[in-house]
Amino acid sequence: MAYQTLEKVNTIPWQERPDGNTNVIWRYSDNPIIERDAIPSSNSIFNSAVVPFEDGYAGVFRCDNKAVQMNIFAGFSKDGLNWDINHDPISFQEGNTSMIDSDYKYDPRVTFIEDRYWITWCNGYHGPTIGIGYTFDFKEFFQCENAFLPFNRNGVLFPEKIDGKYAMLSRPSDNGHTPFGDIYISYSPDMKYWGEHRCVMKASPFEDSAWQCTKIGAGSVPILVDEGWLMFYHGVINTCNGFRYSMGAAILDKDQPDQVKYRTQPYLISPQTPYECVGDVPNVVFPCASLHSIEEDKVAIYYGAADTVTALAFGRISEIVQFTKENSL
Amino acid sequence: MAYQTLEKVNTIPWQERPDGNTNVIWRYSDNPIIERDAIPSSNSIFNSAVVPFEDGYAGVFRCDNKAVQMNIFAGFSKDGLNWDINHDPISFQEGNTSMIDSDYKYDPRVTFIEDRYWITWCNGYHGPTIGIGYTFDFKEFFQCENAFLPFNRNGVLFPEKIDGKYAMLSRPSDNGHTPFGDIYISYSPDMKYWGEHRCVMKASPFEDSAWQCTKIGAGSVPILVDEGWLMFYHGVINTCNGFRYSMGAAILDKDQPDQVKYRTQPYLISPQTPYECVGDVPNVVFPCASLHSIEEDKVAIYYGAADTVTALAFGRISEIVQFTKENSL
Amino acid sequence: MAYQTLEKVNTIPWQERPDGNTNVIWRYSDNPIIERDAIPSSNSIFNSAVVPFEDGYAGVFRCDNKAVQMNIFAGFSKDGLNWDINHDPISFQEGNTSMIDSDYKYDPRVTFIEDRYWITWCNGYHGPTIGIGYTFDFKEFFQCENAFLPFNRNGVLFPEKIDGKYAMLSRPSDNGHTPFGDIYISYSPDMKYWGEHRCVMKASPFEDSAWQCTKIGAGSVPILVDEGWLMFYHGVINTCNGFRYSMGAAILDKDQPDQVKYRTQPYLISPQTPYECVGDVPNVVFPCASLHSIEEDKVAIYYGAADTVTALAFGRISEIVQFTKENSL
Amino acid sequence: MAYQTLEKVNTIPWQERPDGNTNVIWRYSDNPIIERDAIPSSNSIFNSAVVPFEDGYAGVFRCDNKAVQMNIFAGFSKDGLNWDINHDPISFQEGNTSMIDSDYKYDPRVTFIEDRYWITWCNGYHGPTIGIGYTFDFKEFFQCENAFLPFNRNGVLFPEKIDGKYAMLSRPSDNGHTPFGDIYISYSPDMKYWGEHRCVMKASPFEDSAWQCTKIGAGSVPILVDEGWLMFYHGVINTCNGFRYSMGAAILDKDQPDQVKYRTQPYLISPQTPYECVGDVPNVVFPCASLHSIEEDKVAIYYGAADTVTALAFGRISEIVQFTKENSL
Amino acid sequence: MAYQTLEKVNTIPWQERPDGNTNVIWRYSDNPIIERDAIPSSNSIFNSAVVPFEDGYAGVFRCDNKAVQMNIFAGFSKDGLNWDINHDPISFQEGNTSMIDSDYKYDPRVTFIEDRYWITWCNGYHGPTIGIGYTFDFKEFFQCENAFLPFNRNGVLFPEKIDGKYAMLSRPSDNGHTPFGDIYISYSPDMKYWGEHRCVMKASPFEDSAWQCTKIGAGSVPILVDEGWLMFYHGVINTCNGFRYSMGAAILDKDQPDQVKYRTQPYLISPQTPYECVGDVPNVVFPCASLHSIEEDKVAIYYGAADTVTALAFGRISEIVQFTKENSL
Amino acid sequence: MAYQTLEKVNTIPWQERPDGNTNVIWRYSDNPIIERDAIPSSNSIFNSAVVPFEDGYAGVFRCDNKAVQMNIFAGFSKDGLNWDINHDPISFQEGNTSMIDSDYKYDPRVTFIEDRYWITWCNGYHGPTIGIGYTFDFKEFFQCENAFLPFNRNGVLFPEKIDGKYAMLSRPSDNGHTPFGDIYISYSPDMKYWGEHRCVMKASPFEDSAWQCTKIGAGSVPILVDEGWLMFYHGVINTCNGFRYSMGAAILDKDQPDQVKYRTQPYLISPQTPYECVGDVPNVVFPCASLHSIEEDKVAIYYGAADTVTALAFGRISEIVQFTKENSL
């Protein structure tokens, strides 16, 4: 089971809730943890994914270079806070296909399933679609068939097979700044052919929860808790000054994850700090990964801020679940 | 007469013009006066209205909650600076109608006329239109018929009847981020049926005054001065990065308030401070209320900043009138 | 009672249903009844209104001139088929106001109530809104206050007061080629001040009835039948080649006309003939008036075709009511 | 082999090229072959598919009803010209899934593969995507998993498995009047899970072939000829009066059908006749099916005209192939 | 003087005004004079220019081929009605430059000045701009420097130098379906460098003359009459079904042609016949040339219809001048 | 020769590269050098041009006033850092024309050629186009013919004649927030008539260099170096929150400046500091001028920041050239 490995990881990044703070989620006091120029070529490092790896952590990072070309890079950390990111982007070998075209790669997620680390990202193949790759060691990487036809974004794998099949959340899109977007789930017997597409959750009516009324997309890899799959996702509102991205949580049914059991009506975090409000794309909070310990009742959520830097927020899993149930849309 | 009550109010919020500042309007040094999270549920508190009440002040506040649902809340203050805002939104009883539907409420204004405090706001009824309510005590509130068909925003009542009828400024709109907008006046014999609609002032040509070239809307309740009705309003320019909201002043004819006598070509305040430039909607200065003392020649203007917080600015009424006359469009 | 006068009119325009035609509504075989150049100045004559008058019929016609300026003209007919339309547009005197500005006039409707003929139209006052006027003799015309603030179109009066008040259907709009639109009702004690605005019926979901999924607007003056107010209206679908306008029927509650009892899911007529498909604006069927005889169970519906000419269609009232009930959305 | 059955069909619909006509494709002289009201409920019948069946032909027809709801209907013909279309839409049973949701169905194609007739169509599941079903007898129909996530249109199956897998052309779309669109191919081992998505051909540069410069989509089931797979497709140009749809031909490599060998720079048919230029959506020629006889060197192409009626055109396969090779983009 | 040559041309195409027709301009009874497929490769022939040449006429024709590629072709006629158009497009040699790039050519005009025939057209050079060429014999053609930077359309030369300089009307545009457009004049000492750009006339306010409220563009070469330069131009209105193109006339000052003396408020011709209303782009009347005889008081106007065919209309010059003066905007 | 004068200027503004900074361009530590309210009337001062003048520097500054009207003002400085800007805008006399209309002026550039200082700017004449003027002393200014028809922006003159003619870079535009834009070059024998228009460089494909994928425009006056003309330019990317403007460098061929030899794939500076990210238009870096010394291998680049203030950046010319060559697109 994938998350057995977590037991040995006794220290995920953590900082206790500040005094006087009553929010269910709180920000790391030294945010951002990764600055925009953390590697020589980078314009910005954000919307990135981390997992436990060996005696520390590994990650796949979106680093846009100074030509604002988007690519993904591997990185390593002992503590999840201080990261060494490779100066060269990931180079993929052929996985289950020889067609590994890629005009660009961005917004990666990483999921450990059974015996390897699966990476999904937004892959440029005649427009954005979901790229898939895997690695066993974060040194050699193998690229597989794209999961879907264009246009798609925000593909997130479940950390276990469901009913014997791989399961992936994604958001069908168009080829521009998509002004709509709902979360779907699809299944595959073999990581090559995908089907059984189901709608999971939609952008909410403006009156019900405006921060997620324009579009939504899956964020971090779902976490299995008693109530089902706990998932952090982003929601977007279209203001008269552009899109604003915030973060919420949802709990999907354990066995039928196209069924939403709970979903936060309020956001968990919205852009409020300078590093979230000011940057290449102002007012963006965009979660892509989390580290958690069920035993310690902790979760550390990694999120991109203002499409420029990478930040961290913390919470107690039990409190988040309770909050999601009590404030469900 | 409504504003007789002001005489006994010998202290409106006030701070003298800073040394070296030559602007006709200056900001309060401790802005913002209301933070975005001043009540537990709030994401943002802005675009709000205040009036003299008993031995202090009362107000109606737009507090968006963390689901970014818009509603209006009552609040009280001794000094107009420190506010106690109720944690629950205003609950309306039936006023002159039983049809008090409301999908959402935002951008309130409050006007004392004859015997009660009238509240107008942007009311969600198949899209935005002008909601009307009243209270005698800021405890019990009564909702009336909407003034107009959708779509409308920024309804502001005059503080006296004109020619025996209630008079209201408003801005016909569409059902989105309205890219146009002029100020109209309408009359009612009974606060139920409205007519005699007249165009008052239009967005200006780009060449004449660009900050108000996209749309304009009434802000605070007009103040009766020798020259006529002094009104603070917002103007919008559509930049390549979205709408920017600034504040100007206009003086309408006392007896025929659809006649504009003067109107500032320059803005009085535009978004320049961090709390006006950074927030949920960057670059917004949006006045909704003012407190004034003719005797002391003072006005304190309350305005929303960046659709996030509430701020305060000060000026001398006589200077503002003179400035408006000398810099009229 | 307004429609008492109809009893003496024993011959409304009529043509029996053609053999083999099974539609509930059928077209007049000599359509269009008014050609685009029926008066010397006209580019097109369409979207026009007729009523019984003296021993024949009178009407108010939208005649766009060859500068494509929109105005309304009076006309007269013995048989409702052959029309003499004045060569000069209607000149209005001041009615209940001296503010009778009008940049343009189009899409008139005519309704007899109590003692006079009321005319409503789309009036250009800082954009489209609902103009109101009246006449006793179709010689002298008096213009009243606009009913609403801009922007509005398709104002249609009920032929009787309801609960002692005038009642009008309309469609709030924007200042362009409005891509949305629902039907509302408003009331007035005096034809000057309007209020008690209620939503009556909305554009339908695409899946339910696509021909009316973009916007809808009231067409002819409602007819009182046993089931309530029978109203013909237009519905619009936005195809990739622009808007297509078709005609349906609805039955509103007699006493609470904001309640829709029945509404045709299928259209009654859609653009299918050359004069409906080809013209200044292809694919438009736009009803604005009808003549009817309850006794003879007949209705003749006047509609604009392709924004170019005026056409006529016939039906049996009882069949239309039955069809509307049996095919209700 | 699927098209063995064609040998016994010695008479596909046919009409010789008219004297003086030098075009490679010519229209049937009695077009349209199916009028818009061929069944009682229909507003329009177009974009429909036919196949040889028993001793005649069967088809699946897009019949929009008078509520302009889109659905597909079975029909039968002895000669391919005169059609009996069922008055009720196809009712699907569960095929390889119980999830057979469908908000609407339109633009069907039918392909015989191995032992059954497969139907693909544009299926409404949270927006348009590709629906799949099958029948053995055109009486009982079974619906399968949708092939892809939304949004997609114009799914066309190849009539044989390629490298042991089903192969489908489609056009990724958005959720509106998609202003872009290229043809892709995808493969499936089991008609349930799809992958190996490849771009086949794109809309052409305006300068090279303007009639197909906005978007393109597969039309009829590909025909295997010596040069490869002959396919009729539609191309769209966005004029200032909207989209105009014309028809071209392409030849794809037999074994690697994502390789385009030839593709007509000129269109084969563009909207030029009244039934193609005038209708619910003017200026549409939209091929969805063809009947052919290699032995007789004939093809009969069925196409929707003006989104209103169904028409037929003829050509010699050898001439079309030659024309496509000699006029290739 | 350029038009001396016209004296010997005693027969321009002509047909007397039909009985009962009271319009200032009337259509040729055998319109269209050039069908869409008049040469083998053509999809459409329209928006074309003609001039007196030798003992008959020559012309430059826009023939879009069946790939809908736009190019210009020379043609010849004895009577101006029956045309022999070359089957190959014009091949240009280098004129006053070696930079004769051209992605496409369309909408030509031809003007005889001093010693040669100048051709202007919409030339594809990184988007549309004004191409210039000349010929002495319609056999050899020479291409010059483009007159302007992109984006521009509808360049029309005056038939004489004005104040010693060449003068050209044009319409600055954008790189799409330009939703705006006014007519400017520019001057050149040498047909290579252009300057002294002046605005001549603008699209009219909707209220004043709606058929020309979206954009306008010069049509035929101006004709010198006593009142000044008589010019036929096109005007466009943006209906909800797209652009509709009609034709008007203007008279510019003889010596200062940036001064408009008169301009028709009504159109002269709008799309009303089947060949104007139905075609590749419905509802287009687009004049590009005229033949005239001052002595006989005749003008024959050539115009494109529905972007598909070429049509002809006639008028008396004196009547057109009188009409333009009496119906001036 | 224009830049001989530079030799006597032994001190251009300069600050050495900060320790640890490895970028080819670095910002001045006391940015911004000109605040938004540096003159009494100004709302913002940005996008401005400077040149060596007498024993110091002169400049032409864009100062938007508090009505947000755009105009250009002269200013003077001893050190290039501290500026005295005139409180009144430049008043132009007639230069080579009496037509010196100007609705507004913005984004000036200044170039010394032969005997005078030429100023180009975006001039409001029926929309934006390129205005030209000159001065000998920055006291008297003379306005010439606009270079081009509308619509155009960012006109930049070369500092020497090329092949005996003046040469200007510009960017054809539309009349709004132009969502496209490439750099062209045009030539003139006399600063009055312009021609020989050539495309120089285009916005880049998104995949190649996203920061400049929406539009580009010339910035500072080109500097002649061994490799050719070194030019700083701006590039724009359209994010989901609006346009972001960054700065790059290009080297054009010395004799054929329409040939691009090198062009930076990465940006040189993108908006990253508060004064670049927060202001009237967030996220704008917009270069308009530079001072340089070939001998000292220094360049100081003046750029507008956030459309609000003026900032300065430094670099070594040799390093910039090398970087441009090594990182060329």
Side-chain angles (χ1 to χ4, degrees), chain D:
Chain D
M1 226 284 283
Y3 277 71
Q4 300 294 341
T5 60
L6 265 178
E7 295 183 11
K8 70 178 177 189
V9 180
N10 52 13
T11 54
I12 71 163
W14 187 252
Q15 191 176 47
E16 291 296 332
R17 177 186 275 113
D19 289 345
N21 186 319
T22 59
N23 294 320
V24 68
I25 293 285
W26 57 96
R27 291 170 177 84
Y28 180 47
S29 62
D30 285 340
N31 270 348
I33 61 163
I34 306 177
E35 293 288 350
R36 63 188 306 165
D37 52 0
I39 63 172
S41 64
S42 65
N43 166 64
S44 47
I45 304 179
F46 61 107
N47 300 0
S48 301
V50 303
V51 282
F53 177 68
E54 295 177 350
D55 60 345
Y57 301 94
V60 178
F61 297 85
R62 171 177 174 177
C63 303
D64 292 5
N65 69 11
K66 291 186 174 62
V68 192
Q69 291 170 306
M70 304 175 294
N71 213 331
I72 57 176
F73 293 65
F76 303 90
S77 173
K78 289 295 178 200
D79 58 7
L81 295 170
N82 298 287
W83 287 89
D84 289 317
I85 301 174
N86 292 346
H87 289 200
D88 290 311
I90 291 172
S91 172
F92 282 96
Q93 305 173 49
E94 296 180 2
N96 66 9
T97 180
S98 62
M99 204 295 291
I100 58 171
D101 292 357
S102 180
D103 291 331
Y104 48 78
K105 298 183 180 76
Y106 65 80
D107 293 356
R109 274 76 166 188
V110 183
T111 320
F112 184 82
I113 311 177
E114 292 179 338
D115 63 347
R116 72 192 74 180
Y117 300 90
W118 290 92
I119 306 162
T120 54
W121 66 88
C122 186
N123 192 44
Y125 175 73
H126 301 280
T129 189
I130 305 302
I132 302 178
Y134 60 85
T135 184
F136 295 95
D137 54 10
F138 286 92
K139 291 179 189 158
E140 281 194 318
F141 294 85
F142 300 87
Q143 186 170 342
C144 300
E145 283 287 330
N146 291 326
F148 311 117
L149 287 169
F151 307 98
N152 207 311
R153 292 187 178 91
N154 297 307
V156 177
L157 287 165
F158 280 74
E160 315 178 356
K161 287 187 178 176
I162 293 176
D163 196 22
K165 289 167 284 189
Y166 296 99
M168 191 194 291
L169 301 170
S170 72
R171 195 198 68 197
S173 302
D174 69 11
N175 61 356
H177 285 307
T178 313
F180 57 84
D182 305 324
I183 298 177
Y184 287 70
I185 193 168
S186 305
Y187 297 91
S188 173
D190 54 10
M191 277 284 185
K192 189 164 188 178
Y193 299 100
W194 291 84
E196 291 177 298
H197 313 290
R198 298 290 180 276
C199 187
V200 176
M201 54 192 260
K202 289 180 164 282
S204 60
F206 176 81
E207 290 81 7
D208 295 343
S209 184
W211 67 269
Q212 54 184 320
C213 72
T214 299
K215 55 181 174 178
I216 57 174
S220 55
V221 172
I223 299 169
L224 192 54
V225 295
D226 288 347
E227 286 78 0
W229 293 104
L230 172 64
M231 172 184 74
F232 300 106
Y233 68 100
H234 66 263
V236 179
I237 181 172
N238 184 18
T239 78
C240 68
N241 270 4
F243 291 161
R244 186 167 77 241
Y245 287 75
S246 303
M247 181 179 90
I251 299 176
L252 311 180
D253 185 81
K254 179 178 176 180
D255 299 314
Q256 291 189 292
D258 61 334
Q259 303 298 316
V260 180
K261 295 177 68 176
Y262 310 103
R263 170 182 175 188
T264 53
Q265 187 198 36
Y267 58 75
L268 296 181
I269 305 181
S270 78
Q272 301 199 5
T273 66
Y275 56 88
E276 293 160 347
C277 292
V278 177
D280 278 4
V281 181
N283 288 346
V284 178
V285 161
F286 195 94
C288 281
S290 67
L291 296 173
H292 70 280
S293 165
I294 298 288
E295 294 73 14
E296 299 180 76
D297 193 24
K298 293 176 179 173
V299 66
I301 306 165
Y302 290 78
Y303 65 96
D307 274 19
T308 305
V309 295
T310 304
L312 194 55
F314 304 104
R316 294 285 179 187
I317 294 174
S318 62
E319 292 177 7
I320 296 168
V321 168
Q322 184 180 4
F323 181 87
T324 303
K325 292 168 75 171
E326 291 176 353
N327 295 276
S328 187
L329 189 60

Side-chain angles (χ1 to χ4, degrees), chain E:
Chain E
M1 225 284 283
Y3 277 71
Q4 300 294 341
T5 61
L6 263 178
E7 293 183 11
K8 68 178 178 188
V9 180
N10 51 12
T11 53
I12 71 163
W14 188 252
Q15 190 177 49
E16 291 297 333
R17 176 186 276 115
D19 289 345
N21 185 318
T22 59
N23 295 320
V24 69
I25 293 284
W26 58 96
R27 291 170 178 84
Y28 181 46
S29 61
D30 285 340
N31 269 349
I33 61 163
I34 305 177
E35 293 288 350
R36 63 188 307 166
D37 52 2
I39 63 172
S41 64
S42 66
N43 166 65
S44 46
I45 304 180
F46 61 107
N47 300 0
S48 302
V50 303
V51 283
F53 178 68
E54 295 177 350
D55 61 344
Y57 301 94
V60 179
F61 296 85
R62 170 176 176 178
C63 303
D64 292 5
N65 68 13
K66 290 186 174 63
V68 192
Q69 291 172 306
M70 304 175 292
N71 213 331
I72 57 177
F73 293 64
F76 303 89
S77 173
K78 288 297 176 198
D79 58 7
L81 294 170
N82 298 286
W83 286 88
D84 289 317
I85 301 175
N86 292 345
H87 289 199
D88 291 311
I90 291 173
S91 172
F92 282 96
Q93 305 174 48
E94 295 181 3
N96 65 11
T97 181
S98 62
M99 204 296 291
I100 58 171
D101 293 357
S102 180
D103 291 330
Y104 46 79
K105 298 183 180 76
Y106 65 81
D107 293 356
R109 273 78 166 187
V110 183
T111 320
F112 183 82
I113 311 177
E114 291 179 340
D115 64 348
R116 72 192 73 180
Y117 300 90
W118 290 93
I119 305 163
T120 54
W121 66 88
C122 186
N123 192 45
Y125 175 75
H126 301 279
T129 188
I130 304 302
I132 303 178
Y134 61 85
T135 184
F136 295 94
D137 54 10
F138 286 92
K139 290 178 189 158
E140 283 193 317
F141 293 86
F142 301 86
Q143 186 169 342
C144 300
E145 283 287 331
N146 292 325
F148 310 118
L149 287 170
F151 307 99
N152 206 312
R153 291 186 179 92
N154 297 306
V156 177
L157 287 165
F158 281 75
E160 314 179 357
K161 288 187 177 175
I162 293 176
D163 197 21
K165 288 167 288 189
Y166 296 99
M168 191 195 290
L169 302 169
S170 73
R171 195 199 67 197
S173 302
D174 68 12
N175 61 356
H177 286 306
T178 313
F180 57 84
D182 304 325
I183 298 176
Y184 287 70
I185 193 168
S186 306
Y187 297 91
S188 173
D190 53 11
M191 276 285 185
K192 188 164 188 178
Y193 300 100
W194 293 83
E196 292 177 298
H197 313 289
R198 298 289 182 276
C199 188
V200 176
M201 54 192 261
K202 288 179 164 285
S204 60
F206 176 80
E207 290 81 7
D208 295 343
S209 185
W211 67 269
Q212 53 183 319
C213 73
T214 298
K215 55 180 173 177
I216 57 175
S220 56
V221 172
I223 298 168
L224 191 53
V225 297
D226 288 347
E227 285 79 0
W229 293 103
L230 173 64
M231 173 184 73
F232 300 106
Y233 68 100
H234 67 262
V236 179
I237 181 173
N238 184 17
T239 78
C240 68
N241 271 3
F243 290 162
R244 187 166 77 242
Y245 286 75
S246 303
M247 181 179 90
I251 299 176
L252 310 180
D253 186 81
K254 179 179 175 179
D255 300 314
Q256 292 189 291
D258 61 332
Q259 302 299 315
V260 180
K261 294 177 69 176
Y262 310 102
R263 170 182 176 188
T264 53
Q265 187 199 36
Y267 58 75
L268 296 181
I269 305 181
S270 78
Q272 301 198 4
T273 67
Y275 56 88
E276 294 159 347
C277 292
V278 177
D280 277 4
V281 182
N283 288 345
V284 177
V285 161
F286 195 94
C288 281
S290 67
L291 297 173
H292 71 279
S293 166
I294 297 289
E295 295 71 17
E296 298 181 78
D297 194 25
K298 294 176 177 172
V299 66
I301 306 165
Y302 291 77
Y303 65 97
D307 274 20
T308 305
V309 295
T310 303
L312 194 55
F314 304 104
R316 294 286 179 187
I317 295 174
S318 63
E319 292 177 7
I320 295 168
V321 168
Q322 185 181 2
F323 181 87
T324 303
K325 293 167 74 171
E326 290 177 353
N327 294 278
S328 188
L329 190 58

